[in-house]
Amino acid sequence: VTLLEQNPRWRLVPRGQAVNLRCILKNSQYPWMSWYQQDLQKQLQWLFTLRSPGDKEVKSLPGADYLATRVTDTELRLQVANMSQGRTLYCTCSADLGGPNTGQLYFGEGSKLTVL
Amino acid sequence: AQKVTQTQTSISVVEKTTVTMDCVYETRDSSYFLFWYKQTASGEIVFLIRQDSYKKENATVGHYSLNFQKPKSSIGLIITATQIEDSAVYFCAMREMSNYNVLYFGSGTKLTVEP
């Protein structure tokens, strides 16, 4: 059983369009949910960690702009915009139990984004 | 500057042998946490083992163990009795108390276990 369900799993993104990703925590509640990006060279980079429903953060990195929202205790969203043409990016959500187990993350299966 | 560095891009071993993967980290925090994760061919990322900076004993979980050398800022992963299924990309990661939310990852080491 997958603890974290991501959708869509794959999306072709027309140039100039934004894409919205969802991450749903199944059968549990973990206080800390995060987004990570992973490039084709496999490098994982932390993007956001959001704790409470209503929390929002934005970030601009080379190649894409991001807006993360903690919608509910079990849902995290990520809007990816202004991706560079021809770029492929993986966005993966994670959940952190927190407390003494902080850092022992569960990861979703990832969403692959490819810009046309 | 990279906070977590894995210099081995790929390693190939024969099954049932022992393999060690290297990782060095950089932090000014006195308290931090070190982790190893594994990413399979399907893309799934799985937590393997953890070492807290204040603990002197090397962590061990199943056939995974750590070689924690604090003076060298080094946290090696040792896999004994390797199996074909251990083939994956292994990531070293660090969390600092001063930057609680962020998990810094190394660039990964691809392990191939051959029959």
Side-chain angles (χ1 to χ4, degrees), chain A residues 32 36 38 42-44 46 49 96 100-105 107, chain B residues 2 35 37 39 45 47 50 91 95 100-103 105-107:
Chain A
W32 303 98
Y36 286 80
Q38 187 174 31
K42 294 288 189 182
Q43 181 66 58
L44 278 158
W46 171 82
T49 298
D96 189 337
N101 294 317
T102 293
Q104 294 175 207
L105 305 181
F107 282 90
Chain B
Q2 278 285 97
F35 308 87
Y37 285 82
Q39 186 170 33
I45 303 172
F47 164 76
R50 157 194 181 139
F91 291 96
R95 172 167 287 193
Y100 201 66
N101 287 331
V102 182
L103 196 59
F105 283 88
S107 54

Side-chain angles (χ1 to χ4, degrees), chain B residues 42-74:
Chain B
S42 67
E44 183 185 16
I45 303 172
V46 179
F47 164 76
L48 295 177
I49 191 169
R50 157 194 181 139
Q51 180 80 39
D52 297 346
S53 62
Y54 58 87
K55 292 186 177 178
K56 294 184 178 180
E57 303 80 24
N58 289 321
T60 298
V61 176
H63 75 146
Y64 302 109
S65 62
L66 297 177
N67 180 16
F68 182 38
Q69 299 184 57
K70 196 170 183 178
K72 296 183 178 180
S73 296
S74 170

